[in-house]
Amino acid sequence: KLFSRHMDPSKLKDAVDDYVNFLTDEGFLKYVAQRAQDEGDEQRKAQLGELIGHIQNAMKERLERARDRLRYILEGGDLQEMQKRLKKSINGGEIDSAFMVLLAYNIEEASKAGQDTAKNVLTHLQTIILQAVDETLPPAIRLLRMLLRLDCDGARKEMLRSKLVLTPDGSKTAAQAGTENDYGVPDVDPSEMLDAIRDVEQEISGLDEQYAGDMAARVASIKADLQSIMMEEADSFIKGIQEGGK
Protein backbone atom coordinates (compact mmCIF):
# COMPACT_ATOMS: atom_id res chain seq x y z
CA LYS A 1 0.00 0.00 0.00
CA LEU A 2 2.71 2.47 0.99
CA PHE A 3 4.61 1.95 -2.27
CA SER A 4 1.65 2.04 -4.63
CA ARG A 5 2.43 4.22 -7.64
CA HIS A 6 -1.23 5.14 -7.92
CA MET A 7 -1.80 6.25 -4.35
CA ASP A 8 -3.57 9.57 -3.91
CA PRO A 9 -0.91 11.87 -2.33
CA SER A 10 -3.56 13.31 0.00
CA LYS A 11 -4.02 9.83 1.49
CA LEU A 12 -0.34 9.17 2.06
CA LYS A 13 -0.35 10.36 5.67
CA ASP A 14 -3.37 8.15 6.45
CA ALA A 15 -1.52 5.17 4.98
CA VAL A 16 1.47 5.91 7.20
CA ASP A 17 -0.83 6.13 10.23
CA ASP A 18 -2.24 2.71 9.35
CA TYR A 19 1.27 1.24 9.41
CA VAL A 20 2.61 3.34 12.29
CA ASN A 21 3.47 0.38 14.54
CA PHE A 22 5.63 -1.09 11.79
CA LEU A 23 7.15 2.23 10.82
CA THR A 24 8.75 2.88 14.21
CA ASP A 25 11.50 0.57 13.02
CA GLU A 26 14.53 2.65 12.02
CA GLY A 27 15.55 -0.06 9.57
CA PHE A 28 12.40 0.44 7.53
CA LEU A 29 13.05 4.17 7.25
CA LYS A 30 16.55 3.44 5.91
CA TYR A 31 15.01 1.02 3.44
CA VAL A 32 12.59 3.68 2.13
CA ALA A 33 15.41 6.23 1.92
CA GLN A 34 17.45 3.80 -0.17
CA ARG A 35 14.51 3.21 -2.49
CA ALA A 36 14.12 6.96 -2.93
CA GLN A 37 17.82 7.32 -3.71
CA ASP A 38 17.69 4.55 -6.32
CA GLU A 39 14.44 5.76 -7.92
CA GLY A 40 14.93 7.15 -11.44
CA ASP A 41 11.47 8.63 -11.93
CA GLU A 42 11.44 12.18 -10.47
CA GLN A 43 7.74 12.16 -9.61
CA ARG A 44 8.12 8.83 -7.86
CA LYS A 45 11.24 10.10 -6.05
CA ALA A 46 9.25 13.11 -4.80
CA GLN A 47 6.46 10.85 -3.55
CA LEU A 48 8.97 8.68 -1.68
CA GLY A 49 10.50 11.83 -0.20
CA GLU A 50 7.07 12.87 1.07
CA LEU A 51 6.57 9.38 2.47
CA ILE A 52 9.86 9.65 4.36
CA GLY A 53 8.69 12.93 5.89
CA HIS A 54 5.41 11.38 7.09
CA ILE A 55 7.27 8.39 8.51
CA GLN A 56 9.70 10.62 10.40
CA ASN A 57 6.84 12.65 11.88
CA ALA A 58 4.94 9.49 12.88
CA MET A 59 8.08 8.04 14.46
CA LYS A 60 8.79 11.27 16.33
CA GLU A 61 5.29 11.47 17.80
CA ARG A 62 5.24 7.83 18.86
CA LEU A 63 8.75 7.94 20.31
CA GLU A 64 7.95 11.07 22.32
CA ARG A 65 4.96 9.31 23.87
CA ALA A 66 7.11 6.23 24.47
CA ARG A 67 9.78 8.37 26.15
CA ASP A 68 7.19 9.87 28.50
CA ARG A 69 5.83 6.40 29.30
CA LEU A 70 9.29 4.97 30.03
CA ARG A 71 10.14 7.96 32.23
CA TYR A 72 6.90 7.42 34.19
CA ILE A 73 7.75 3.75 34.75
CA LEU A 74 11.37 4.36 35.79
CA GLU A 75 10.36 7.15 38.18
CA GLY A 76 8.69 4.43 40.24
CA GLY A 77 12.10 4.08 41.90
CA ASP A 78 12.24 0.53 43.23
CA LEU A 79 11.79 -2.48 41.00
CA GLN A 80 8.48 -3.53 42.51
CA GLU A 81 6.88 -0.14 41.81
CA MET A 82 8.35 -0.06 38.30
CA GLN A 83 6.83 -3.49 37.61
CA LYS A 84 3.48 -2.26 38.94
CA ARG A 85 3.55 0.80 36.68
CA LEU A 86 4.63 -1.29 33.70
CA LYS A 87 1.82 -3.81 34.15
CA LYS A 88 -0.65 -0.95 34.47
CA SER A 89 0.67 0.46 31.18
CA ILE A 90 0.41 -2.96 29.51
CA ASN A 91 -3.17 -3.43 30.68
CA GLY A 92 -4.00 0.07 29.47
CA GLY A 93 -2.69 -0.66 25.98
CA GLU A 94 0.02 1.97 26.29
CA ILE A 95 2.97 -0.24 25.35
CA ASP A 96 3.50 -0.23 21.58
CA SER A 97 6.31 -0.92 19.12
CA ALA A 98 7.75 2.57 19.63
CA PHE A 99 8.11 1.84 23.34
CA MET A 100 9.85 -1.46 22.55
CA VAL A 101 12.25 0.28 20.14
CA LEU A 102 13.08 2.90 22.77
CA LEU A 103 13.52 0.26 25.46
CA ALA A 104 15.84 -1.81 23.25
CA TYR A 105 17.87 1.31 22.42
CA ASN A 106 18.31 2.15 26.11
CA ILE A 107 19.34 -1.43 26.90
CA GLU A 108 21.98 -1.25 24.18
CA GLU A 109 23.26 2.13 25.39
CA ALA A 110 23.43 0.93 29.00
CA SER A 111 25.39 -2.11 27.84
CA LYS A 112 27.86 0.03 25.87
CA ALA A 113 28.37 2.31 28.89
CA GLY A 114 28.95 -0.62 31.24
CA GLN A 115 25.91 0.32 33.33
CA ASP A 116 25.00 -3.21 34.33
CA THR A 117 22.33 -2.29 36.90
CA ALA A 118 20.43 -0.11 34.43
CA LYS A 119 20.82 -2.75 31.72
CA ASN A 120 19.48 -5.49 34.00
CA VAL A 121 16.47 -3.43 35.11
CA LEU A 122 15.55 -2.46 31.55
CA THR A 123 16.03 -6.02 30.30
CA HIS A 124 13.77 -7.26 33.10
CA LEU A 125 11.06 -4.80 32.03
CA GLN A 126 11.48 -5.93 28.43
CA THR A 127 11.04 -9.57 29.46
CA ILE A 128 7.82 -8.76 31.34
CA ILE A 129 6.38 -7.09 28.23
CA LEU A 130 7.33 -9.95 25.91
CA GLN A 131 5.89 -12.52 28.31
CA ALA A 132 2.66 -10.53 28.63
CA VAL A 133 2.28 -10.45 24.85
CA ASP A 134 3.15 -14.14 24.54
CA GLU A 135 0.48 -15.14 27.06
CA THR A 136 -2.27 -13.75 24.85
CA LEU A 137 -1.25 -15.82 21.82
CA PRO A 138 -2.03 -19.39 20.70
CA PRO A 139 0.66 -21.90 21.80
CA ALA A 140 2.26 -22.32 18.36
CA ILE A 141 2.62 -18.58 17.73
CA ARG A 142 3.83 -18.02 21.28
CA LEU A 143 6.52 -20.68 20.81
CA LEU A 144 7.59 -19.27 17.45
CA ARG A 145 8.03 -15.80 18.98
CA MET A 146 10.17 -17.25 21.77
CA LEU A 147 12.29 -19.20 19.29
CA LEU A 148 12.88 -16.14 17.13
CA ARG A 149 14.27 -14.32 20.16
CA LEU A 150 16.94 -16.99 20.73
CA ASP A 151 20.32 -16.47 19.08
CA CYS A 152 21.68 -20.01 19.55
CA ASP A 153 20.56 -22.56 16.96
CA GLY A 154 21.09 -25.45 19.37
CA ALA A 155 19.00 -23.80 22.08
CA ARG A 156 16.22 -23.13 19.56
CA LYS A 157 16.01 -26.78 18.55
CA GLU A 158 16.10 -27.94 22.17
CA MET A 159 13.22 -25.62 23.11
CA LEU A 160 11.23 -26.60 20.02
CA ARG A 161 11.58 -30.31 20.75
CA SER A 162 10.64 -29.78 24.40
CA LYS A 163 7.44 -27.87 23.58
CA LEU A 164 6.09 -30.10 20.79
CA VAL A 165 3.40 -32.67 21.52
CA LEU A 166 5.09 -35.64 19.87
CA THR A 167 2.67 -38.57 19.63
CA PRO A 168 2.58 -41.02 16.71
CA ASP A 169 -1.19 -40.80 16.15
CA GLY A 170 -1.78 -37.28 17.50
CA SER A 171 -4.48 -38.58 19.84
CA LYS A 172 -3.02 -37.59 23.19
CA THR A 173 -3.65 -34.28 24.86
CA ALA A 174 -0.76 -32.03 25.87
CA ALA A 175 -1.08 -33.12 29.50
CA GLN A 176 -0.98 -36.79 28.50
CA ALA A 177 1.78 -36.36 25.94
CA GLY A 178 4.59 -35.70 28.38
CA THR A 179 5.58 -34.49 31.79
CA GLU A 180 6.71 -30.95 32.50
CA ASN A 181 10.27 -30.19 31.46
CA ASP A 182 12.54 -27.13 31.67
CA TYR A 183 10.28 -25.34 29.19
CA GLY A 184 6.96 -26.33 30.73
CA VAL A 185 4.48 -28.97 29.57
CA PRO A 186 4.57 -29.72 25.81
CA ASP A 187 1.55 -27.90 24.37
CA VAL A 188 2.25 -27.30 20.66
CA ASP A 189 0.93 -29.51 17.89
CA PRO A 190 3.58 -29.91 15.15
CA SER A 191 1.07 -29.20 12.36
CA GLU A 192 0.02 -25.95 14.08
CA MET A 193 3.67 -25.02 14.46
CA LEU A 194 4.21 -25.55 10.75
CA ASP A 195 1.17 -23.40 9.97
CA ALA A 196 2.55 -20.61 12.19
CA ILE A 197 5.91 -20.78 10.40
CA ARG A 198 4.24 -20.65 6.98
CA ASP A 199 2.20 -17.61 8.04
CA VAL A 200 5.38 -15.74 9.00
CA GLU A 201 7.06 -16.82 5.76
CA GLN A 202 4.13 -15.35 3.87
CA GLU A 203 4.28 -12.08 5.83
CA ILE A 204 7.96 -11.50 5.13
CA SER A 205 8.00 -12.83 1.57
CA GLY A 206 7.18 -9.40 0.13
CA LEU A 207 9.89 -7.59 2.06
CA ASP A 208 13.26 -6.69 0.62
CA GLU A 209 15.95 -9.23 1.53
CA GLN A 210 18.06 -6.47 3.04
CA TYR A 211 15.27 -5.68 5.48
CA ALA A 212 13.94 -9.18 6.25
CA GLY A 213 17.15 -11.20 5.83
CA ASP A 214 17.84 -12.05 9.49
CA MET A 215 14.19 -12.83 10.24
CA ALA A 216 13.89 -15.00 7.13
CA ALA A 217 17.06 -16.90 8.06
CA ARG A 218 15.80 -17.60 11.57
CA VAL A 219 12.39 -18.73 10.34
CA ALA A 220 14.06 -21.06 7.82
CA SER A 221 16.27 -22.49 10.57
CA ILE A 222 13.26 -23.15 12.83
CA LYS A 223 11.37 -24.80 9.97
CA ALA A 224 14.37 -27.04 9.24
CA ASP A 225 14.57 -27.94 12.94
CA LEU A 226 10.88 -28.84 12.99
CA GLN A 227 11.22 -31.06 9.92
CA SER A 228 14.33 -32.70 11.39
CA ILE A 229 12.58 -33.44 14.69
CA MET A 230 9.57 -34.92 12.95
CA MET A 231 11.78 -37.15 10.79
CA GLU A 232 13.65 -38.33 13.87
CA GLU A 233 10.36 -39.11 15.62
CA ALA A 234 9.04 -40.98 12.58
CA ASP A 235 12.24 -43.06 12.36
CA SER A 236 12.03 -43.85 16.07
CA PHE A 237 8.36 -44.84 15.78
CA ILE A 238 9.03 -47.14 12.80
CA LYS A 239 12.03 -48.67 14.55
CA GLY A 240 9.89 -49.35 17.62
CA ILE A 241 7.27 -51.13 15.52
CA GLN A 242 9.92 -53.22 13.78
CA GLU A 243 11.58 -54.22 17.03
CA GLY A 244 8.21 -55.02 18.57
CA GLY A 245 7.41 -57.39 15.74
CA LYS A 246 10.54 -59.44 16.22
Side-chain angles (χ1 to χ4, degrees):
K1 183 178 180 182
L2 289 172
F3 296 106
S4 172
R5 290 182 177 272
H6 307 292
M7 177 180 288
D8 182 343
S10 65
K11 297 181 179 179
L12 190 57
K13 184 179 183 302
D14 292 337
V16 169
D17 290 338
D18 289 341
Y19 285 80
V20 71
N21 282 328
F22 183 51
L23 298 176
T24 48
D25 187 334
E26 186 72 26
F28 185 74
L29 182 59
K30 292 178 181 178
Y31 169 65
V32 180
Q34 186 62 52
R35 283 196 58 164
Q37 182 177 330
D38 296 340
E39 180 60 52
D41 182 275
E42 290 303 318
Q43 183 177 356
R44 179 65 172 162
K45 186 186 289 286
Q47 185 182 32
L48 288 171
E50 185 179 354
L51 173 60
I52 290 171
H54 287 309
I55 292 174
Q56 289 174 327
N57 289 335
M59 289 173 65
K60 181 180 178 181
E61 292 173 5
R62 295 295 286 265
L63 288 172
E64 285 177 352
R65 288 199 295 270
R67 196 172 290 113
D68 291 340
R69 178 59 45 185
L70 181 58
R71 184 181 301 111
Y72 160 76
I73 293 168
L74 295 178
E75 285 176 350
D78 64 86
L79 188 58
Q80 185 174 0
E81 179 60 25
M82 282 190 276
Q83 291 178 160
K84 181 179 178 181
R85 293 188 178 197
L86 175 59
K87 290 178 180 178
K88 180 180 178 181
S89 298
I90 292 172
N91 294 335
E94 295 167 312
I95 302 300
D96 57 13
S97 60
F99 184 92
M100 296 303 291
V101 168
L102 181 64
L103 187 57
Y105 172 78
N106 278 274
I107 291 172
E108 183 178 352
E109 290 300 299
S111 179
K112 289 179 180 178
Q115 299 174 344
D116 292 339
T117 300
K119 175 189 173 183
N120 292 338
V121 168
L122 294 170
T123 301
H124 179 66
L125 297 178
Q126 184 185 56
T127 300
I128 291 175
I129 297 170
L130 294 174
Q131 289 176 340
V133 173
D134 288 346
E135 289 171 2
T136 67
L137 301 171
I141 298 175
R142 180 169 64 245
L143 176 58
L144 182 55
R145 282 170 52 87
M146 290 190 293
L147 293 171
L148 288 170
R149 293 198 291 264
L150 289 177
D151 292 325
C152 176
D153 292 343
R156 278 203 295 265
K157 188 170 183 178
E158 180 184 356
M159 177 184 285
L160 177 58
R161 184 188 295 278
S162 298
K163 291 296 290 178
L164 290 175
V165 178
L166 298 171
T167 55
D169 60 2
S171 62
K172 294 183 180 180
T173 64
Q176 295 170 326
T179 56
E180 185 170 359
N181 53 54
D182 291 341
Y183 299 99
V185 175
D187 61 353
V188 178
D189 184 279
S191 63
E192 293 177 357
M193 188 66 194
L194 183 57
D195 287 341
I197 291 172
R198 286 171 174 166
D199 286 343
V200 174
E201 286 179 327
Q202 183 65 32
E203 289 176 9
I204 63 178
S205 63
L207 296 177
D208 187 273
E209 184 178 351
Q210 178 183 351
Y211 186 66
D214 182 61
M215 172 70 79
R218 292 193 181 212
V219 172
S221 176
I222 293 168
K223 186 176 183 179
D225 285 342
L226 176 62
Q227 293 169 335
S228 172
I229 291 170
M230 298 313 298
M231 287 296 294
E232 291 167 8
E233 288 298 312
D235 289 344
S236 177
F237 179 58
I238 292 172
K239 183 178 180 181
I241 293 177
Q242 292 173 335
E243 291 178 349
K246 292 180 180 180

